[in-house]
């Protein structure tokens, strides 16, 4: 009977330990991926720690014809010709191809790349991937769905 209890307690300990690491990784991943933008929104310096930009801010940059503006659209080719269309002058690399095609962006490593998709999810993944490769990226929150609310397609 005592041996049975020892086996049960050992099994419970093992099961509890099997869940601690995945739980810790999940919590770290959640908080790590939701880093808050603490940079000054009025700052015009080139070195920025911004992780996100609103579609309103992106539209202002487009309208100002900023020569340093680089926009990467990571949607599929079909989406670019779909109802949301594409922003003129964008670079197009679908997120599914970005890892193997990232070298096409090497000439923009000294610039901040604004990354957009349909709603902001794939562009967030693209930001993470490119940041790991040494690029400076900013996710466009709300994506093309939000952009088309302020800039309807012609």
């Amino acid at each position: 009977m005592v041996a049975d209890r020892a086996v049960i307690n050992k099994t419970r300990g093992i099961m509890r330990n099997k869940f601690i690491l995945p739980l810790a990784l999940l919590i770290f991943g959640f908080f790590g991926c939701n880093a808050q933008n603490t940079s000054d929104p009025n700052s015009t310096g080139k070195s920025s720690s911004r992780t996100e930009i609103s579609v309103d801010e992106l539209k202002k940059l487009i309208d100002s014809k900023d020569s340093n503006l680089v926009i990467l659209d990571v949607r599929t080719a079909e989406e670019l010709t779909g109802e949301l269309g594409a922003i003129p002058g964008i670079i197009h690399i679908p997120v599914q191809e970005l890892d193997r095609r990232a070298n096409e962006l090497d000439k923009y490593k000294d610039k901040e790349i604004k990354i957009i998709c349909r709603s902001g999810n794939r562009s967030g993944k693209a930001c993470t991937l490119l940041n790991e490769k040494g690029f400076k990226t900013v996710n466009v929150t709300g994506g093309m769905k939000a952009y088309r609310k302020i800039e309807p397609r012609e």
Side-chain angles (χ1 to χ4, degrees), residues 115-129:
I115 305 180
I116 195 164
C117 66
R118 187 180 74 86
S119 62
N121 292 323
R122 286 175 283 178
S123 54
K125 291 176 185 175
C127 284
T128 300
L129 186 136

Side-chain angles (χ1 to χ4, degrees), residues 50 52-66 68-73 86-88 90 112-117 138-144 146-148 150-151:
R50 296 186 66 169
E52 295 181 339
I53 186 173
S54 72
V55 292
D56 292 315
E57 292 171 293
L58 179 65
K59 176 81 170 87
K60 286 178 187 171
L61 289 172
I62 292 169
D63 290 345
S64 73
K65 303 201 185 317
D66 184 346
N68 289 312
L69 181 61
V70 178
I71 304 172
L72 172 65
D73 195 319
I87 298 171
I90 56 105
E112 200 174 64
I113 302 172
K114 312 303 189 270
I115 305 180
I116 195 164
C117 66
V138 178
N139 187 21
V140 180
T141 59
M144 287 299 293
Y147 185 80
R148 285 299 176 216
I150 63 164
E151 181 68 19

